[in-house]
Amino acid sequence: MALAQLLFAAVGLLTAAGQLVDLLVPAAKHDALLTAAKAMPQLTLSEEELQWVHVLSEGWASPLEGFMTEDQYLQSLHYEHLLVNGEFVPMPVPIVKACTAKEKDAIKGVPAIALVDSAGAIVATMENPEVFEHRQEERAGRTFGLTHPEHPYVNLIMQSGPWLVGGKLQVLKKIMYNDGLDSFRLSPVQLAAKFKELGADAVFAFQLRNPVHNGHALLMQDTATKLKEKGFKKPVLWLSPLGGWTKDDDVPLKTRMLQHEAIIKNKVFGDTPVVLAIFPSPMLYAGPREVQWHAYARLLGGATHYVVGRDPAGMKHPGTNEDIYHMWHGQKMLQAAPGLRKIELLPFTFATYDKKAQKMAFFDPKRKDDFVSISGSKMRQLARDGETPPVGFMDPEGWEILVKYYQSLDSGKTEL
Amino acid sequence: MALAQLLFAAVGLLTAAGQLVDLLVPAAKHDALLTAAKAMPQLTLSEEELQWVHVLSEGWASPLEGFMTEDQYLQSLHYEHLLVNGEFVPMPVPIVKACTAKEKDAIKGVPAIALVDSAGAIVATMENPEVFEHRQEERAGRTFGLTHPEHPYVNLIMQSGPWLVGGKLQVLKKIMYNDGLDSFRLSPVQLAAKFKELGADAVFAFQLRNPVHNGHALLMQDTATKLKEKGFKKPVLWLSPLGGWTKDDDVPLKTRMLQHEAIIKNKVFGDTPVVLAIFPSPMLYAGPREVQWHAYARLLGGATHYVVGRDPAGMKHPGTNEDIYHMWHGQKMLQAAPGLRKIELLPFTFATYDKKAQKMAFFDPKRKDDFVSISGSKMRQLARDGETPPVGFMDPEGWEILVKYYQSLDSGKTEL
């Protein structure tokens, strides 16, 4: 099946909305809108809200054309879908903008408002803003299945304003971060062009927010082989690190990107072409709800296949220190969602360290004593201690980048 | 539109499932199944679970054919719908059976189990029971948008076993309670016959779990008038008190039924024919989620119209003593649900006490000082004190029943 057909099939999902949303104001209208925006009441975007503007502006959350109104919010919260002409369209996570009571009063009844970044620069305008109650505990409970205030995104919700404001956006310019990584922030349209340029007939997306070890690389190589066995001539790996807000103890985007660049350069994925591009969404740590968001956005971004592992978007419960979510519920929800039928799931086989072969390998129950698991926390501790992990665990240049990061943390420097 | 057409339209919703589910084992197979069941491992049903067997057995939760398996449970929890051949069918609340770790071990791998009531009588069998984790906090958070253990149904969840067991049921006999009210427990099939016998061309369902005051009666009379103005010749009121488990301080079913019977006898609903029939479901106090369950089950039970008021299925937050849910979110969710399009919503206009006219009346903002609100808690306090409410608030015979109940409570007797 040619990519064009596959993309056409994916876009077929959006019949209700017509096409991929693009909220960027056309160049010819930019100056007039900016002038008008300067006279509008202003609301400031948090770091996370600015990232949602980015997500919305490029159509990753199509058919959504702005921050959710109350009807859209309730549909997402209750159904994990939007209703568009009576059809369920995936929309697993609420995409909302909070405000204070004072801000609410200031925008009451106005036809449009301006949204500004933390430096005061106008980013976008919102038409007919609708203000509604931000019932924070209910939002947390429904989104995460818990309300514990030390869950990082629940904490973000609880710290935000008691009102939400929704409405269609017009975005004045492409969102940039000036962190040296903007060239990796490709929109769905740019990605489609890239995949076409590479002659891809299958695009398998790998969502991640951690460094890539050789177990991941093995899985990606294995996936490419299997796709070729199925008849695809040119499978392309879309390495899609999440680039938005994450909790404090996650490895920062810049370090991860350096690590990803090093291992791609060192050919850990073999001959498979790799497109490394940042997914602009914030992280929610919402497990089986969020993995549907991750997959849906990648479907809109041009993926034909989606790699899914154990406990996607999961974390430890801040109260009990056990996994919040069941490790297979993420896969189950991806399988259940009718709106995700057009992306093929590639369940993630577990790779672990083979002491005998001195490499990451698929677990072989016949010689189970040869295998040892290297957990994320063990990996971080090794890097922090400046130690070398077992031979073959990770590309050495990639490992050095992690060591440098953790040692800069410990010495109080922030080089990376 | 004739009732037959309306019922046909309602049943059209169930194309995926074919028809209204009936889990009662045919008479010819009863004895053989009972004999087989005696040799099966047994699980005991709680009071609430027995009520769910009742609900399931008569098809109120069609197309569900038994307690939810994990896939069904996850779909209900995340989407408030089941997926049947890729179509979303309303299933707003999880319908599950809990068990202990010991019970789980006892039924591991068996082809069928027997479900017994608290007296040990076999009620039903379950084929190929599937046991899965009962992640209680997650269930509470997703269902209610809170996890507070003093919410009565959250408490029920937290007290129940750490595993859930799901699978298709065969029910051995119609569930009876021997409380003098079984004749009011009509199945959807019995209700359809009743509505047909009455020549109904519109059936408007009123779900309630409280005594009926004259404000309710006014609304029902007004609804009948409006339906006639729309061209219906024979609108029938289906007074549908919830009959299952409720929290301790709700008025018990028996008292409510006596009150309902008294007021119907005394013609408070005017000339409109009234079918008084108990809805066998437990109460969840799950607000906008639960109202969808209430409406969907009534749609399957033959209602063409559904009366919905403010804050349906809501209650006070046990931590803050404020309403858990936004008072209009219930209506909004009913309006959003595509699976409920075939039942027409009749939003509940607010009726309050008119001191001047000495009756319950629709609020008139021009003479607002003439109106006074009589809250549920005020009503209960008056009844407890044996006082007479304002003339015209409630049918006097109905009021006396409440007074007797509350006074029996205070004197430690439980006459009603």
Side-chain angles (χ1 to χ4, degrees):
Chain A
M1 198 174 187
L3 182 64
Q5 279 174 277
L6 285 161
L7 287 178
F8 181 79
V11 173
L13 240 191
L14 296 179
T15 42
Q19 58 189 6
L20 217 59
V21 163
D22 175 6
L23 301 180
L24 216 59
V25 71
K29 295 186 179 173
H30 174 276
D31 291 358
L33 185 65
L34 183 60
T35 303
K38 285 176 182 165
M40 296 174 188
Q42 295 188 348
L43 293 189
T44 303
L45 296 159
S46 70
E47 175 196 357
E48 186 233 356
E49 289 166 351
L50 179 65
Q51 291 161 1
W52 284 125
V53 173
H54 187 171
V55 164
L56 292 163
S57 69
E58 296 180 345
W60 295 98
S62 301
L64 209 56
E65 297 179 300
F67 283 112
M68 289 178 177
T69 59
E70 188 170 33
D71 282 347
Q72 292 170 329
Y73 169 72
L74 287 174
Q75 290 163 21
S76 171
L77 208 56
H78 280 265
Y79 299 157
E80 306 187 7
H81 289 77
L82 285 188
L83 286 159
V84 183
N85 302 327
E87 298 288 320
F88 285 83
V89 177
M91 196 57 62
V93 298
I95 300 179
V96 288
K97 156 104 195 90
C99 72
T100 64
K102 200 173 159 188
E103 287 172 325
K104 170 184 175 267
D105 293 342
I107 65 173
K108 195 179 174 185
V110 302
I113 57 173
L115 302 178
V116 305
D117 66 18
S118 58
I122 296 176
V123 172
T125 63
M126 184 192 287
E127 297 162 37
N128 303 314
E130 179 191 305
V131 183
F132 54 102
E133 283 182 34
H134 188 189
R135 304 175 75 87
Q136 288 142 307
E137 181 186 15
E138 182 179 4
R139 176 178 167 201
R142 294 197 193 282
T143 305
F144 301 95
L146 58 69
T147 58
H148 198 295
E150 287 167 44
H151 178 287
Y153 202 94
V154 172
N155 183 262
L156 211 64
I157 291 172
M158 297 304 182
Q159 301 301 323
S160 64
W163 297 92
L164 296 175
V165 50
K168 291 187 183 181
L169 296 182
Q170 289 195 285
V171 179
L172 281 150
K173 54 178 185 176
K174 186 170 165 71
I175 310 294
M176 306 285 261
Y177 301 78
N178 304 311
D179 56 357
L181 299 173
D182 284 324
S183 63
F184 290 100
R185 293 189 173 92
L186 304 183
S187 70
V189 172
Q190 290 172 313
L191 283 161
K194 194 88 182 172
F195 299 142
K196 190 177 173 190
E197 181 192 317
L198 288 167
D201 59 356
V203 175
F204 60 109
F206 186 43
Q207 140 77 32
L208 71 176
R209 65 168 214 277
N210 276 309
V212 173
H213 59 57
N214 287 346
H216 302 126
L218 172 68
L219 292 164
M220 297 303 117
Q221 292 200 14
D222 184 59
T223 299
T225 303
K226 284 183 178 153
L227 288 171
K228 283 182 180 167
E229 283 166 7
K230 281 187 185 176
F232 292 100
K233 302 277 180 248
K234 194 76 180 277
V236 166
L237 166 59
W238 172 13
L239 201 65
S240 185
L242 179 133
W245 178 88
T246 53
K247 61 188 167 69
D248 290 342
D249 61 345
D250 279 0
V251 181
L253 179 64
K254 189 147 192 180
T255 305
R256 288 186 278 131
M257 288 297 287
L258 287 172
Q259 197 265 357
H260 300 340
E261 286 188 273
I263 62 162
I264 291 169
K265 186 190 70 184
N266 294 337
K267 292 276 178 195
V268 304
F269 299 114
D271 296 333
T272 305
V274 182
V275 173
L276 174 62
I278 295 169
F279 177 50
S281 172
M283 187 74 202
L284 279 81
Y285 309 93
R289 209 183 230 275
E290 186 168 18
V291 71
Q292 296 172 76
W293 160 240
H294 288 171
Y296 180 62
R298 285 4 183 273
L299 171 63
L300 300 188
T304 57
H305 295 74
Y306 188 80
V307 181
V308 55
R310 298 194 304 181
D311 197 20
M315 59 170 282
K316 296 291 180 191
H317 190 298
T320 65
N321 205 33
E322 290 177 9
D323 287 343
I324 298 175
Y325 303 109
H326 188 293
M327 66 174 163
W328 300 122
H329 282 184
Q331 283 195 20
K332 278 179 182 286
M333 293 315 299
L334 288 184
Q335 282 157 358
L340 298 176
R341 289 279 153 83
K342 289 186 177 133
I343 195 162
E344 193 175 332
L345 300 180
L346 300 169
F348 192 114
T349 322
F350 190 54
T352 189
Y353 189 71
D354 182 342
K355 289 183 289 184
K356 201 167 180 185
Q358 296 201 324
K359 63 176 187 179
M360 295 298 283
F362 293 122
F363 182 72
D364 178 357
K366 280 181 226 152
R367 48 186 193 86
K368 61 182 175 182
D369 291 340
D370 292 342
F371 290 88
V372 62
S373 163
I374 300 174
S375 69
S377 54
K378 185 166 179 186
M379 181 188 81
R380 285 191 290 272
Q381 194 54 52
L382 287 170
R384 178 160 264 158
D385 297 343
E387 286 189 27
T388 307
V391 174
F393 171 70
M394 188 184 284
D395 171 74
E397 190 178 345
W399 180 257
E400 274 313 305
I401 288 162
L402 292 189
V403 170
K404 268 173 92 176
Y405 165 67
Y406 278 105
Q407 294 193 336
S408 77
L409 264 191
D410 286 344
S411 68
K413 292 180 227 159
T414 51
E415 275 178 42
L416 292 174
Chain B
M1 198 172 186
L3 182 65
Q5 278 174 280
L6 285 160
L7 286 177
F8 180 81
V11 172
L13 238 192
L14 295 178
T15 42
Q19 56 188 8
L20 217 59
V21 163
D22 175 6
L23 301 180
L24 217 58
V25 70
K29 294 185 179 173
H30 175 273
D31 292 357
L33 184 65
L34 183 59
T35 303
K38 285 176 181 165
M40 296 174 187
Q42 295 187 348
L43 293 190
T44 302
L45 295 159
S46 70
E47 175 197 356
E48 184 233 358
E49 288 165 352
L50 179 63
Q51 292 160 1
W52 284 124
V53 172
H54 187 172
V55 165
L56 292 164
S57 69
E58 296 181 344
W60 295 98
S62 303
L64 209 56
E65 297 180 301
F67 283 111
M68 290 178 177
T69 59
E70 189 170 33
D71 282 348
Q72 292 170 329
Y73 169 72
L74 287 174
Q75 290 164 22
S76 171
L77 208 55
H78 281 265
Y79 299 157
E80 304 186 8
H81 289 78
L82 286 188
L83 286 157
V84 183
N85 301 328
E87 297 289 319
F88 286 82
V89 177
M91 195 56 62
V93 299
I95 300 180
V96 288
K97 156 104 196 90
C99 72
T100 63
K102 200 173 159 187
E103 288 172 325
K104 168 184 176 267
D105 292 343
I107 66 174
K108 195 179 174 184
V110 303
I113 57 172
L115 301 178
V116 304
D117 66 18
S118 59
I122 296 176
V123 172
T125 62
M126 184 191 287
E127 297 163 37
N128 302 312
E130 179 193 304
V131 183
F132 54 101
E133 283 181 35
H134 188 190
R135 301 175 77 87
Q136 289 143 306
E137 180 185 15
E138 182 179 3
R139 178 178 166 200
R142 294 197 192 283
T143 304
F144 301 95
L146 58 68
T147 59
H148 198 295
E150 287 166 44
H151 178 288
Y153 202 94
V154 172
N155 185 261
L156 211 66
I157 290 171
M158 297 304 181
Q159 301 300 325
S160 64
W163 297 92
L164 297 175
V165 51
K168 289 188 185 181
L169 296 183
Q170 288 194 282
V171 179
L172 281 150
K173 55 177 184 180
K174 186 169 165 72
I175 311 296
M176 305 284 261
Y177 301 78
N178 304 311
D179 56 357
L181 300 173
D182 284 325
S183 63
F184 289 99
R185 294 188 173 93
L186 304 184
S187 70
V189 172
Q190 290 171 313
L191 283 162
K194 194 88 184 170
F195 298 142
K196 192 177 171 187
E197 182 191 317
L198 288 167
D201 60 355
V203 175
F204 59 108
F206 186 43
Q207 139 78 32
L208 70 177
R209 65 167 214 276
N210 276 309
V212 174
H213 60 58
N214 287 347
H216 302 126
L218 172 68
L219 292 165
M220 297 304 117
Q221 291 200 13
D222 184 59
T223 299
T225 303
K226 284 183 178 154
L227 289 171
K228 283 182 180 165
E229 284 166 7
K230 282 187 185 176
F232 293 100
K233 302 276 180 249
K234 195 73 180 280
V236 167
L237 166 59
W238 172 13
L239 200 65
S240 185
L242 180 134
W245 179 88
T246 53
K247 60 189 169 71
D248 291 341
D249 61 345
D250 279 359
V251 181
L253 179 65
K254 188 146 193 181
T255 305
R256 287 186 278 131
M257 287 298 287
L258 287 172
Q259 197 265 357
H260 299 341
E261 285 188 273
I263 62 163
I264 291 169
K265 186 189 69 184
N266 295 337
K267 291 277 177 195
V268 305
F269 299 114
D271 296 333
T272 305
V274 182
V275 173
L276 174 63
I278 295 169
F279 177 51
S281 171
M283 187 73 202
L284 278 81
Y285 308 93
R289 207 183 232 275
E290 187 169 18
V291 72
Q292 296 172 76
W293 160 240
H294 287 171
Y296 180 62
R298 286 1 184 273
L299 171 64
L300 299 188
T304 57
H305 295 74
Y306 187 80
V307 181
V308 55
R310 299 195 304 181
D311 197 21
M315 59 170 282
K316 296 290 181 192
H317 191 298
T320 65
N321 206 33
E322 289 176 12
D323 288 343
I324 298 175
Y325 303 109
H326 188 293
M327 66 174 163
W328 299 123
H329 282 183
Q331 283 196 21
K332 276 179 183 286
M333 293 316 299
L334 289 184
Q335 282 157 357
L340 299 176
R341 289 278 153 82
K342 288 185 178 134
I343 195 161
E344 193 175 334
L345 300 180
L346 300 169
F348 193 115
T349 322
F350 190 53
T352 189
Y353 189 71
D354 182 341
K355 289 182 289 185
K356 201 166 179 181
Q358 296 201 324
K359 63 177 189 180
M360 295 298 282
F362 293 122
F363 182 71
D364 178 357
K366 279 180 228 153
R367 47 184 194 90
K368 60 181 176 185
D369 291 340
D370 292 343
F371 290 87
V372 61
S373 163
I374 300 174
S375 68
S377 54
K378 186 167 179 185
M379 182 188 81
R380 284 191 289 271
Q381 194 54 53
L382 286 170
R384 178 160 265 157
D385 296 344
E387 286 188 27
T388 308
V391 173
F393 171 70
M394 187 185 283
D395 172 73
E397 190 178 346
W399 180 257
E400 275 312 305
I401 288 164
L402 292 189
V403 170
K404 267 174 92 175
Y405 165 67
Y406 278 105
Q407 294 193 336
S408 77
L409 265 191
D410 285 344
S411 68
K413 292 181 224 155
T414 51
E415 276 178 42
L416 292 172

